[in-house]
Amino acid sequence: MEDFNIIKKVLQKNLGVTFKVAEALEDEILDEEKKLFTPLITHLETLVTHQHNVFEYLKIDLSTLSEPYWEIIEECLNFSFDEEVQELIWWYIHDRKNAAGDVTAWEDEDGVEYKFNTPADLYEYIAFKFDL
């Protein structure tokens, strides 16, 4: 923070203007990220469910139509998260629930199991585990 104040003073002196920078708290940033993350995951999970249901009940395979969109989504996740987080997100979307619809546990590299009932639970784990 001290470096920031030095830079601020130099800029104010050289530019001849006074400016105020609002300091964002880390918790507020995480809350905002969570507000963006949770609907994204909810929508992705809904898309997978709808695509599965169309195939299951109508016997229409939408994969040839939807594949380019899934590739775009994958690239967005590649841009935003490291590989471990991406794997966890894809697991959540595709494999979190078993055939009966029950939530299954995610097992980390240490053998500890976690159940994520909501995208918010997933985000909390990612923020904690991967230090977002």
Side-chain angles (χ1 to χ4, degrees):
M1 189 63 165
E2 185 178 325
D3 291 338
F4 174 78
N5 287 327
I6 292 169
I7 293 169
K8 179 180 170 183
K9 287 177 186 176
V10 169
L11 289 173
Q12 285 178 337
K13 179 181 175 187
N14 291 330
L15 297 175
V17 293
T18 302
F19 62 92
K20 180 179 177 182
V21 176
E23 191 175 313
L25 299 174
E26 186 174 334
D27 288 344
E28 290 174 0
I29 293 170
L30 289 175
D31 286 343
E32 288 303 312
E33 288 177 353
K34 186 176 180 180
K35 286 178 188 176
L36 296 171
F37 181 86
T38 54
L40 169 72
I41 300 303
T42 299
H43 292 311
L44 292 175
E45 191 173 25
T46 301
L47 286 172
V48 167
T49 301
H50 287 177
Q51 187 170 333
H52 173 76
N53 288 343
V54 167
F55 182 74
E56 185 72 24
Y57 300 113
L58 302 176
K59 303 302 182 211
I60 298 172
D61 183 3
L62 297 175
S63 63
T64 56
L65 295 172
S66 63
E67 190 60 32
Y69 299 105
W70 284 110
E71 289 175 8
I72 291 168
I73 293 165
E74 186 174 351
E75 291 303 320
C76 289
L77 291 177
N78 288 343
F79 179 76
S80 301
F81 300 104
D82 68 20
E83 193 173 322
E84 284 182 274
V85 174
Q86 292 172 53
E87 288 176 17
L88 179 54
I89 291 170
W90 289 122
W91 170 85
Y92 182 93
I93 293 167
H94 292 288
D95 301 320
R96 178 177 67 98
K97 293 181 180 178
N98 63 20
D102 300 321
V103 174
T104 60
W106 165 264
E107 187 175 322
D108 70 8
E109 67 277 356
D110 297 324
V112 179
E113 291 187 348
Y114 300 89
K115 277 199 175 180
F116 308 116
N117 293 312
T118 66
D121 294 342
L122 176 64
Y123 181 81
E124 294 290 334
Y125 175 80
I126 290 170
F128 170 75
K129 180 75 173 181
F130 298 98
D131 197 28
L132 296 181

